[in-house]
Amino acid sequence: MSSNKKYWKSVEELENSSIVEALRNNEFVEEIPTDEFLGNADALATSGTSRRDFLKYVGFSTAAVTLAACEGPVHKSIPYVLQPEQIIPGVADFYATTVFDGFDFANLLVKTREGRPIKIENNTISGAKFSANARIHASILGLYDSMRLKEPKLDGKNSSWSAVDLKIKSSLADAKAKGGQVVLLTNTLASPSTEKLIGEFIAKNPNAKHVVYDAVSSSDALDAFETVYGERALVDYDFSKASLIVSVGADFLGDWQGGGYDAGYAKGRIPQNGKMSRHFQFESNMTLSGAAADKRVPMTTADQKQALVQIYNVVVGGSVPVSLDAKFKAEVEKAAQQLKAAGSKGILVSGLEDKNAQLLVLAINQALSSEAFNTAETRQIRKGSNAVVAQLLKDMNAGSVHTLIMSGVNPVYTLADSASFVSGLKKVKTSVALSLKEDETAAISTIAAPVPHYLESWGDLVITKGTYSLTQPTIRPIFDTKQLQDVLLSLNGVAGNFYDYLKANSGSIITGSSWNKVLHDGVFVYGSSALNGGSYDYAGAASALSKSKAAGELELVLYTKTGMGDGQHANNPWLQEFPDPITRVSWDNYITVSNADAKKFNLSNEIVANGGLNGSYATITTADGTKLENVPVIVQPGQAVGTVGLAVGYGRKAALKEEMQVGINAYALYKNFNNVQAVSIVKANGEHEFACVQGQKTLMGRGDIIKETTLKIFNTEDAKHWNEQPMVSLDHQEVEATTVDLWESFDRSTGHHFNLSIDLNACTGCGACVIACHAENNVPVVGKSEVRRSRDMHWLRIDRYYSSESTFAGDNERKEGIAGLSSSLSTFNEMEKPGDNPQVAFQPVMCQHCNHAPCETVCPVAATSHGRQGQNHMAYNRCVGTRYCANNCPYKVRRFNWFLYNKNSEFDYHMNDDLGRMVLNPDVNVRSRGVMEKCSMCIQMTQATILNAKKEGRSIVDGEFQTACSSACSSGAMIFGDVNDAESKVAKLAADDRSYHLLEHVGTKPNVVYHVKVRNT
């Protein structure tokens, strides 16, 4: 059956600790602070206040609040004297653009209101290949960051662009006269016009060179591809064409090769005609890709290299000796044989930072003639070379670099050998940092020059070869900024601006189209041909790789977190508060260790009385003596024994608000751009307090909240077997819960009736929906301390469930068979072993918009009620904050405003300054203290769609209705629409055999539909 498995949200819940049991029975983990509005305890004790007086106070205050709530604050607005022709107050405008910040990239539509960009949407036009991830959705908040560099600085003092321009030109002339090097150090640009401009700059300054530096390097994969195919690029894999996927250390659903693979992957993961793709994952850290895999094998990086050689032997027919533990050999052999059998429908990917490993990836995919292996539309988003960056450091420290112009990089923070860069920078005569902020590098440069945000910029991009994209500004520059390209034009002595240069240069690319059309669409597809690979000694590469040894007794595996990425967005509170999909921890990075290693090093986690998670500290030391002290520890199920994980992107200090200065800078351990390091760890003193949302709500025995089955059962058994319907008793007879009702139903067949479908097979846990909801609905950020108190305000959460292979029935049989103390200890110890490598399921949960909503029946002031279109409404000005609705909600999706988060210095995030509040959506109310709030199913979006169609005198087509989460979901897991339209996609999904509702036996009849997860095991 589908739900006959044991599910658990945390190790503590698996072990059924006493604190978890207490939390199950405690709806609100903190006492209501009545002393805050009635005076302190001492005053109450001496005032003679009786219980009757207390009730009078409460009764009076409730009535007063109810009356006062009817009177909203008055805001005076000033009308336009001369209204811009293109702006209509109250009507949104959308601009097509493309973003690439050196790490993330996407084709976008930017929503603006009254000239303010307020929301990122995905560009879905033909040719737009890449959707926004969580970081790009949050990047709009960076436009309104009050910590941005606002004007140029020369030697640390405010200056002007004319003075900066003069200083750089003078330095270039001096360098040319003295024969000194001029270096332009940038991130990967992927911009044809910018690269042409740089070529002209180098032609004008023959002593200049361009060095590309990627903070998170892909140099080994680039070197391998360049060796075989003659082009420095990355393969763009199409996972939708693969029936078998084998990944060796590549988190392709995360940030591997820039990400963006989830849409293609999800297409093959939804069962169609009885078939779906199969996925093997060999990895160290528990990743999004590992969580989605049908078979996940945790192993060290050294073992992964041996596994890759073994797969090469099977697929290509090699005979290279392999040193692989017997416990892994069978699984690797099985994956390799199935990969070979899949032929052109198979694909192998690897994230191993080793050129020989990447050469074997090319060899294996060539041997398979893999359809998913795309050498035509190669990715241009990584170009950096480790060797070239290392040479630059040597040149700087030798004093041979006269002028250094930096753009889009922050090496003082991101380089492991930061001290060498700082010492070299002191020997550079003129250093220029073109930067959004006065970051770690800009702060010690001769010139710190502000650049515009990408939403204020012009540009062009070739993210993948064959597709040309334009970047256009959606707002006038807020500060006194200049793009790198305009600076280069000035240095080249070219009149005009970059817009004119870009438009002229694009003409040779967009043949057959026009500038205006490409600007309107955002993309232009011109096509490209597949590259023909040359010959190479792959057997030699396999032999060299097979001789690889373990980095040490304990391997540190560095990675990028879904929320923080490479650290560019460290001052973004949306991303800081975003819970990591795997650990569910926000506001921190940490060491992840296996349960076995945690016991070995005496490290632990503990859920404390208020539901918060605490953990040990540890000190990490690398082989060369580099040390990170007091790093928090998370005991992570699925972490490979002998490895520990740590995320880069944290630990920044410069140009950040104090609240955002969190975590440890793990780049210090990124030696020689290798994400695997030999380390030792020792427990340190003290205990760290995590902001972890996963332990705040327990399953309370409701194992059917997640339903899953295997593909074999799905294909051979009736739906009632693998999608079992809950039964209830009616007149002493067992009947299906859906046939019994406590309420009289209304006729909802006329007009619109909205449903949201969520496919657990397609959901990868990426979190783009969470951030999109933040932006669309003005969800406040509450900070680490409040999250720890179970007071996070996310309207949408993505629950992560672990499960074992064992069933509830099997567990019960084993428990009943226990005989004696020794048997008890050994049996329970074995039953806890699934925590070493659990299966994972993600489940987005928001207000279920129940047609028979329990919250509505208990609200004393009718603040929450049901609409004819299926949405559960909240009238904020009626709500008096009794929280009865939250207590009566079986899904725990309602949020209470404990404080006023807007314009409150205690919550110094974007809502606390005028610039940050520019991102707020005027169509959604900013809630005040003391009211309940929750998902509205984006009623402002559905009503706008209805009004637009009415104004245009047409019917609404399927797909027009969207919510913030459904429009952000690139994998297609979330589909929203009108279920009364029988031909709509959501209506068909709601009627599918895989569909079910959460806690169906409660009888709430939700308008959110889930689909049983099918595993191809």
Side-chain angles (χ1 to χ4, degrees):
M1 294 189 303
S2 64
S3 57
N4 198 24
K5 293 177 67 176
K6 183 170 185 177
Y7 293 91
W8 36 288
K9 298 176 88 175
S10 63
V11 174
E12 291 75 19
E13 188 170 1
L14 175 65
E15 296 173 352
N16 199 26
S17 69
S18 58
I19 190 63
V20 175
E21 184 62 33
L23 291 171
R24 284 177 180 167
N25 301 319
N26 190 3
E27 178 69 24
F28 300 110
V29 295
E30 301 230 344
E31 294 183 6
I32 298 175
T34 52
D35 58 314
E36 289 187 11
F37 56 86
L38 288 178
N40 60 49
D42 294 336
L44 284 174
T46 57
S47 65
T49 303
S50 66
R51 180 174 178 274
R52 179 172 294 181
D53 291 331
F54 171 79
L55 293 175
K56 284 180 184 177
Y57 294 149
V58 174
F60 171 76
S61 62
T62 303
V65 168
T66 306
L67 290 172
C70 297
E71 297 182 11
V74 175
H75 296 285
K76 295 182 178 180
S77 60
I78 302 173
Y80 288 110
V81 177
L82 292 173
Q83 180 177 322
E85 184 180 346
Q86 66 273 27
I87 293 179
I88 303 174
V91 177
D93 289 314
F94 290 85
Y95 296 88
T97 192
T98 303
V99 58
F100 175 53
D101 60 10
F103 192 72
D104 295 311
F105 48 88
N107 304 112
L108 309 176
L109 291 179
V110 181
K111 179 182 179 181
T112 68
R113 281 291 303 270
E114 287 75 59
R116 295 179 296 118
I118 63 168
K119 179 78 170 19
I120 298 295
E121 301 282 0
N122 291 322
N123 189 351
T124 57
I125 199 168
S126 177
K129 297 171 60 175
F130 299 105
S131 299
N133 59 20
R135 294 186 294 270
I136 291 176
H137 277 288
S139 66
I140 196 165
L141 194 56
L143 174 65
Y144 305 115
D145 187 347
S146 59
M147 303 295 287
R148 281 177 60 184
L149 187 57
K150 299 174 178 62
E151 59 185 337
K153 289 190 174 183
L154 187 56
D155 294 323
K157 298 177 181 178
N158 291 342
S159 185
S160 65
W161 275 107
S162 58
V164 165
D165 193 50
L166 189 63
K167 175 72 174 177
I168 299 174
K169 287 180 177 178
S170 173
S171 181
L172 291 175
D174 189 48
K176 187 178 290 186
K178 294 179 178 177
Q181 277 190 40
V182 174
V183 177
L184 182 59
L185 178 64
T186 72
N187 60 321
T188 301
L189 298 168
S191 168
S193 296
T194 307
E195 285 164 2
K196 181 184 177 186
L197 196 51
I198 290 172
E200 292 167 358
F201 173 75
I202 293 173
K204 187 177 177 65
N205 300 275
N207 57 328
K209 65 178 180 179
H210 181 206
V211 175
V212 178
Y213 164 53
D214 298 318
V216 178
S217 175
S218 295
S219 185
D220 289 303
L222 292 165
D223 292 344
F225 191 82
E226 188 174 22
T227 297
V228 176
Y229 289 93
E231 178 185 323
R232 194 164 185 79
L234 298 172
V235 179
D236 188 35
Y237 297 91
D238 186 352
F239 288 96
S240 68
K241 295 180 179 179
S243 63
L244 189 82
I245 301 162
V246 178
S247 170
V248 182
D251 182 17
F252 57 86
L253 295 180
D255 294 331
W256 177 74
Q257 292 197 175
Y261 293 112
D262 47 347
Y265 176 80
K267 288 178 183 176
R269 299 297 291 169
I270 299 173
Q272 299 286 347
N273 302 317
K275 295 181 180 180
M276 62 181 285
S277 64
R278 188 145 197 250
H279 175 191
F280 287 88
Q281 185 82 10
F282 302 94
E283 64 181 12
S284 303
N285 300 337
M286 174 68 85
T287 66
L288 290 180
S289 301
D294 297 303
K295 184 63 180 180
R296 178 183 181 271
V297 181
M299 55 170 61
T300 65
T301 306
D303 286 329
Q304 289 172 41
K305 291 179 179 179
Q306 298 296 325
L308 187 58
V309 175
Q310 178 65 11
I311 295 170
Y312 168 82
N313 283 341
V314 172
V315 175
V316 180
S319 57
V320 179
V322 172
S323 174
L324 194 60
D325 196 299
K327 64 182 177 181
F328 299 133
K329 201 160 191 175
E331 295 295 344
V332 173
E333 184 71 19
K334 185 193 299 182
Q337 293 293 349
Q338 291 187 24
L339 182 64
K340 184 177 181 180
S344 64
K345 292 295 182 183
I347 188 69
L348 179 132
V349 294
S350 178
L352 294 173
E353 296 293 334
D354 187 297
K355 182 179 177 180
N356 288 320
Q358 295 301 326
L359 285 167
L360 293 193
V361 172
L362 302 179
I364 291 167
N365 288 315
Q366 286 174 354
L368 293 170
S369 298
S370 174
E371 295 176 17
F373 185 71
N374 185 355
T375 62
E377 300 167 354
T378 52
R379 292 192 172 199
Q380 308 293 308
I381 44 86
R382 300 286 185 270
K383 295 285 187 179
S385 168
N386 296 346
V388 173
V389 173
Q391 184 60 48
L392 172 63
L393 283 178
K394 291 178 183 177
D395 291 346
M396 288 171 62
N397 280 283
S400 56
V401 178
H402 181 283
T403 304
L404 179 65
I405 302 173
M406 297 170 283
S407 175
V409 295
N410 184 10
V412 173
Y413 166 67
T414 58
L415 266 177
D417 199 3
S418 176
S420 177
F421 184 86
V422 171
S423 65
L425 197 64
K426 292 176 181 176
K427 298 176 182 178
V428 173
K429 186 170 180 62
T430 304
S431 54
V432 183
L434 296 162
S435 174
L436 267 173
K437 297 183 153 193
E438 194 172 4
D439 56 28
E440 290 81 356
T441 302
I444 61 172
S445 297
T446 311
I447 297 170
V451 297
H453 191 270
Y454 76 88
L455 292 173
E456 304 168 309
S457 306
W458 284 104
D460 62 355
L461 292 165
V462 174
I463 295 173
T464 57
K465 200 162 63 170
T467 303
Y468 180 74
S469 307
L470 287 177
T471 299
Q472 66 170 315
T474 58
I475 188 174
R476 289 179 64 87
I478 297 173
F479 303 117
D480 185 14
T481 57
K482 263 191 184 182
Q483 294 182 225
L484 164 68
Q485 295 86 346
D486 281 315
V487 172
L488 290 175
L489 283 170
S490 175
L491 297 179
N492 289 348
V494 179
N497 54 38
F498 182 58
Y499 167 77
D500 297 324
Y501 185 94
L502 172 67
K503 188 174 180 180
N505 190 57
S506 68
S508 60
I509 302 173
I510 57 173
T511 54
S513 188
S514 66
W515 168 263
N516 286 341
K517 177 168 174 49
V518 177
L519 191 62
H520 172 271
D521 295 348
V523 295
F524 171 76
V525 179
Y526 58 88
S528 61
S529 302
L531 297 173
N532 295 316
S535 59
Y536 190 79
D537 180 16
Y538 293 121
S543 179
L545 190 65
S546 69
K547 295 180 175 66
S548 299
K549 303 296 182 184
E553 185 179 351
L554 191 64
E555 286 183 355
L556 168 68
V557 182
L558 299 170
Y559 68 101
T560 55
K561 279 181 73 173
T562 305
M564 201 49 57
D566 64 348
Q568 292 184 54
H569 304 285
N571 205 46
N572 193 309
W574 288 350
L575 294 174
Q576 290 282 10
E577 192 146 296
F578 171 70
D580 181 76
I582 301 294
T583 63
R584 309 293 286 130
V585 173
S586 59
W587 293 99
D588 261 316
N589 66 337
Y590 33 75
I591 304 171
T592 56
V593 301
S594 66
N595 189 47
D597 285 330
K599 290 177 179 177
K600 179 179 178 180
F601 298 108
N602 195 27
L603 306 170
S604 63
N605 287 144
E606 177 189 15
I607 294 180
V608 294
N610 68 350
L613 180 71
N614 289 1
S616 304
Y617 283 113
T619 297
I620 308 178
T621 307
T622 62
D624 67 355
T626 304
K627 186 179 292 187
L628 288 183
E629 297 182 338
N630 295 328
V631 186
V633 173
I634 287 286
V635 180
Q636 175 60 54
Q639 182 77 31
V641 177
T643 70
V644 295
L646 181 60
V648 298
Y650 286 81
R652 290 189 58 187
K653 304 293 182 184
L656 265 65
K657 289 187 176 182
E658 185 178 352
E659 290 79 2
M660 260 66 82
Q661 296 176 23
V662 296
I664 303 291
N665 184 7
Y667 277 116
L669 306 182
Y670 192 30
K671 305 287 184 179
N672 300 317
F673 298 98
N674 194 338
N675 68 330
V676 180
Q677 300 287 333
V679 297
S680 61
I681 61 173
V682 178
K683 183 178 181 179
N685 294 326
E687 197 172 56
H688 187 76
E689 295 185 346
F690 290 103
C692 179
V693 300
Q694 191 69 18
Q696 295 172 0
K697 300 171 182 67
T698 64
L699 277 169
M700 303 182 76
R702 298 176 295 193
D704 62 344
I705 202 162
I706 286 277
K707 289 188 179 184
E708 60 179 303
T709 188
T710 65
L711 184 62
K712 181 179 179 181
I713 294 174
F714 176 77
N715 286 333
T716 57
E717 300 285 353
D718 188 78
K720 288 187 177 180
H721 178 80
W722 48 262
N723 188 8
E724 186 180 12
Q725 297 303 308
M727 308 296 284
V728 296
S729 178
L730 176 65
D731 296 332
H732 306 289
Q733 298 291 324
E734 288 285 307
V735 298
E736 290 188 0
T738 52
T739 64
V740 180
D741 222 329
L742 295 177
W743 288 271
E744 184 177 331
S745 293
F746 294 97
D747 178 18
R748 303 187 186 278
S749 61
T750 58
H752 302 293
H753 189 84
F754 298 117
N755 269 201
L756 176 63
S757 168
I758 301 176
D759 196 323
L760 301 182
N761 263 52
C763 179
T764 63
C766 72
C769 54
V770 176
I771 302 299
C773 177
H774 247 301
E776 175 67 29
N777 295 297
N778 302 334
V779 176
V781 173
V782 300
K784 181 176 181 178
S785 177
E786 292 299 295
V787 172
R788 185 172 164 81
R789 289 182 170 89
S790 309
R791 294 176 179 174
D792 66 289
M793 296 299 293
H794 294 105
W795 284 12
L796 164 62
R797 69 176 190 264
I798 303 179
D799 286 334
R800 182 266 296 126
Y801 292 97
Y802 295 133
S803 62
S804 63
E805 299 283 357
S806 56
T807 64
F808 284 120
D811 284 349
N812 291 334
E813 288 174 9
R814 293 190 69 183
K815 290 175 187 176
E816 290 169 4
I818 292 173
L821 177 61
S822 60
S823 174
S824 170
L825 293 175
S826 62
T827 301
F828 279 111
N829 183 54
E830 288 177 14
M831 290 174 69
E832 290 172 5
K833 282 185 179 176
D836 293 341
N837 187 26
Q839 290 184 338
V840 184
F842 295 111
Q843 185 176 60
V845 180
M846 66 295 291
C847 174
Q848 300 293 291
H849 295 272
C850 311
N851 288 317
H852 295 159
C855 56
E856 296 170 12
T857 59
V858 295
C859 182
V861 291
T864 183
S865 58
H866 213 66
R868 189 171 187 84
Q869 295 176 346
Q871 292 137 321
N872 176 258
H873 300 312
M874 276 299 303
Y876 298 127
N877 66 336
R878 293 185 66 90
C879 179
V880 295
T882 61
R883 299 196 293 168
Y884 294 163
C885 56
N887 195 36
N888 216 38
C889 174
Y891 310 106
K892 303 307 166 199
V893 289
R894 288 176 166 262
R895 302 288 178 258
F896 180 65
N897 282 271
W898 288 93
F899 301 97
L900 177 66
Y901 302 110
N902 179 36
K903 300 181 183 179
N904 186 342
S905 60
E906 294 295 319
F907 299 92
D908 189 17
Y909 309 110
H910 69 287
M911 286 191 182
N912 192 43
D913 60 71
D914 291 336
L915 185 61
R917 280 194 296 273
M918 286 180 70
V919 82
L920 296 178
N921 184 357
D923 292 331
V924 179
N925 188 34
V926 177
R927 285 73 64 188
S928 187
R929 180 184 182 184
V931 301
M932 298 297 304
E933 62 179 72
K934 56 149 196 86
C935 160
S936 67
M937 210 173 260
C938 291
I939 189 170
Q940 71 280 359
M941 294 178 68
T942 56
Q943 293 308 302
T945 301
I946 292 169
L947 291 173
N948 286 339
K950 184 177 180 181
K951 182 175 66 176
E952 295 168 9
R954 60 175 178 82
S955 299
I956 296 170
V957 299
D958 187 32
E960 264 193 280
F961 284 123
Q962 292 288 350
T963 59
C965 56
S966 67
S967 64
C969 183
S970 57
S971 67
M974 292 183 172
I975 302 295
F976 181 77
D978 181 4
V979 78
N980 282 346
D981 177 4
E983 297 303 312
S984 67
K985 190 172 182 180
V986 76
K988 294 174 181 177
L989 288 169
D992 190 87
D993 285 344
R994 284 203 298 137
S995 68
Y996 74 98
H997 296 107
L998 289 195
L999 308 180
E1000 204 144 28
H1001 55 274
V1002 180
T1004 56
K1005 297 193 180 300
N1007 282 311
V1008 179
V1009 181
Y1010 291 85
H1011 290 262
V1012 174
K1013 186 176 181 68
V1014 181
R1015 295 185 187 273
N1016 191 0
T1017 54

